[in-house]
Amino acid sequence: MSHAASLAKQASSKGLRSKAQFTVTPGSEQIRATIERDGQAQALRDIGGVVLANACGPCIGQWKRTDVKKGEKNTIVSSYNRNFTARNDANPATHAFVTSPELVTAMAIAGRLDFNPLTDSLKAPDGSTFKFQPPSGDTLPQRGFDPGEDTYQGFPKDGKKLKVDVDPKSNRLQLLEPFDKWDGKDLTDMLVLIKIKGKCTTDHISPAGPWLKYRGHLDNISNNMCIGAINSENGEANKIKNLLTGEYGKTPDVARYYKSKGKKWVAVGEDNYGEGSSREHAALEPRHLGGRAIIVKSFARIHETNLKKQGLLPLTFENPADYDKIKPDSRISLLGLKELAPGKPVVCEVTQTDGKKVRFNLRHTMNEGQITWFRAGSALNRMKEISGK
């Protein structure tokens, strides 16, 4: 941040301002307070920068853009750490490039994507030629970090009499209901909701942007479940076959239909499934809509843990080639779950439409405690069991 401010001060001294929309998102209250105290925030404001609240902001799609229409091709350059399609502004036509805060600042001032601050010059308002000098600044603040405002509100000493009131008509808030407990039986004859092809991040599983207003309402936000995942059957997103009706529909709609008919389902994927944001809803939504297992070649670590917490079985192919043995219309049975134990494979039986069956092993990384989460239905259910309430 100090290097970005250094470039801003150089430009400001020559009367230059940002030619592009230039927003600054502090990563925390501590960072906000520190850059305010040490002057970096003001230096960035002096060239037209807008310092936003210390929140996720445009990084996770909380950005109401008015400069371009949805579907209009454009480019943004940011120092956020992710640039999945439509992540920042919900516009799939936006080309999002990631670079350092220094380059973001230099390009905003230049207003050109081809600008090279090492070699290129800019024209100042007085007609003179201006070239950036290498930015300078402290790696860490000399006076340490300013903790900022303490807005934490602690829990009451006795919360037994407290009641959380949520309007049942609200479409943004909803009280959570406990997930159902495992019935002690093998999970048999489950449908394949979707066999996913290629990369599947948490943004594919639970997109952000306009959906974020439903973060407090699990049922409503579940209407975005896997709408970005690519169906291996047709190469399309959010278009899968309902195996009970034969009709094609949106992924969350088909999942809801299966749930209404009491049919459990699994999702199948490839490598590093669930990479990206550690988005809890990407695990909550499949569980809410009736999913019982996610079977993939490999998981992103945090998402794998999130699935465990919601009582889903995160399983990986012992032999990655077994991915090809599961078809979009296969039926899946997970056997030997009563003997589920750390390090012990789960037997997967696949039944094809012609009645032929094939078995292979699936691996898991659950420890003893995490296995109790599955048996209880979720980590929260297990906590309630332990507390005796």
Side-chain angles (χ1 to χ4, degrees):
M1 193 64 86
S2 60
H3 282 199
S6 172
L7 294 175
K9 289 177 181 178
Q10 291 181 46
S12 185
S13 68
K14 296 294 183 179
L16 291 168
R17 291 173 62 84
S18 175
K19 291 184 178 179
Q21 183 178 346
F22 184 43
T23 60
V24 182
T25 310
S28 66
E29 169 59 16
Q30 179 172 265
I31 297 299
R32 183 208 63 77
T34 302
I35 65 173
E36 288 286 4
R37 180 198 67 193
D38 293 346
Q40 289 103 332
Q42 189 56 50
L44 297 170
R45 288 192 186 99
D46 288 343
I47 61 165
V50 177
V51 180
L52 304 176
N54 45 297
C56 294
C59 179
I60 197 172
Q62 293 174 310
W63 181 16
K64 186 177 181 181
R65 291 190 71 181
T66 58
D67 56 325
V68 295
K69 296 179 181 179
K70 190 169 183 178
E72 182 181 340
K73 289 185 178 181
N74 71 101
T75 296
I76 59 175
V77 182
S78 79
S79 60
Y80 300 133
N81 58 351
R82 297 186 181 95
N83 63 336
F84 305 135
T85 300
R87 177 182 175 94
N88 302 125
D89 62 357
N91 183 0
T94 295
H95 298 284
F97 294 92
V98 177
T99 186
S100 67
E102 297 96 310
L103 278 177
V104 170
T105 305
M107 286 186 171
I109 295 167
R112 300 193 342 248
L113 289 174
D114 63 349
F115 178 72
N116 182 350
L118 297 177
T119 59
D120 296 348
S121 298
L122 298 173
K123 192 172 184 180
D126 62 5
S128 63
T129 300
F130 165 74
K131 186 176 178 181
F132 282 115
Q133 297 301 308
S136 61
D138 298 323
T139 302
L140 293 172
Q142 292 185 6
R143 291 189 284 166
F145 288 101
D146 186 333
E149 298 179 31
D150 183 3
T151 57
Y152 174 72
Q153 295 182 18
F155 293 101
K157 292 181 179 179
D158 183 8
K160 293 180 180 179
K161 297 181 180 179
L162 290 179
K163 181 182 178 182
V164 179
D165 269 334
V166 174
D167 185 347
K169 297 178 183 178
S170 173
N171 63 6
R172 299 186 68 165
L173 292 175
Q174 179 189 48
L175 293 176
L176 289 174
E177 295 293 335
F179 291 133
D180 60 306
K181 185 177 180 178
W182 177 55
D183 62 8
K185 301 177 183 179
D186 287 339
L187 296 170
T188 59
D189 198 37
M190 292 187 291
L191 301 167
V192 175
L193 176 70
I194 180 172
K195 184 178 179 182
I196 299 165
K197 177 182 178 181
K199 181 191 284 281
C200 188
T201 71
T202 49
D203 271 79
H204 292 90
I205 304 167
S206 178
W211 291 97
L212 291 175
K213 61 178 173 286
Y214 300 124
R215 281 183 298 180
H217 198 295
L218 179 56
D219 193 54
N220 282 346
I221 199 170
S222 293
N223 288 323
N224 75 358
M225 190 199 70
C226 287
I227 62 175
I230 301 301
N231 181 6
S232 66
E233 181 188 18
N234 54 20
E236 296 186 47
N238 205 25
K239 185 179 180 181
I240 61 172
K241 188 175 183 179
N242 185 320
L243 300 176
L244 299 182
T245 67
E247 300 175 350
Y248 281 84
K250 297 179 179 179
T251 307
D253 293 343
V254 175
R256 285 186 186 278
Y257 186 85
Y258 291 166
K259 182 180 180 180
S260 72
K261 299 300 180 182
K263 297 296 294 183
K264 299 179 177 65
W265 55 264
V266 304
V268 180
E270 298 201 66
D271 292 298
N272 207 25
Y273 180 90
E275 66 175 285
S277 301
S278 54
R279 193 165 296 167
E280 198 81 20
H281 286 96
L284 281 163
E285 293 172 25
R287 183 72 166 95
H288 174 65
L289 294 184
R292 297 316 306 253
I294 308 295
I295 305 171
V296 298
K297 295 180 181 179
S298 65
F299 281 105
R301 178 181 54 84
I302 296 176
H303 182 63
E304 181 183 20
T305 301
N306 286 344
L307 292 170
K308 295 175 185 178
K309 288 192 294 183
Q310 304 310 331
L312 282 152
L313 288 173
L315 305 169
T316 56
F317 295 102
E318 191 169 84
N319 178 3
D322 288 337
Y323 168 87
D324 295 321
K325 295 177 181 177
I326 298 179
K327 309 301 180 186
D329 55 3
S330 298
R331 299 292 179 112
I332 306 296
S333 295
L334 301 177
L335 309 176
L337 295 182
K338 286 185 178 180
E339 292 77 42
L340 187 63
K344 184 178 180 179
V346 172
V347 176
C348 178
E349 181 179 84
V350 180
T351 303
Q352 310 296 8
T353 53
D354 60 4
K356 291 182 179 179
K357 299 179 185 290
V358 61
R359 287 190 177 191
F360 49 80
N361 286 342
L362 299 172
R363 294 175 176 170
H364 69 87
T365 62
M366 290 182 287
N367 58 35
E368 288 286 1
Q370 292 167 340
I371 290 172
T372 66
W373 298 349
F374 164 70
R375 291 172 177 158
S378 70
L380 283 177
N381 287 3
R382 179 57 181 159
M383 290 171 64
K384 188 174 183 179
E385 286 180 352
I386 294 172
S387 69
K389 297 180 181 179

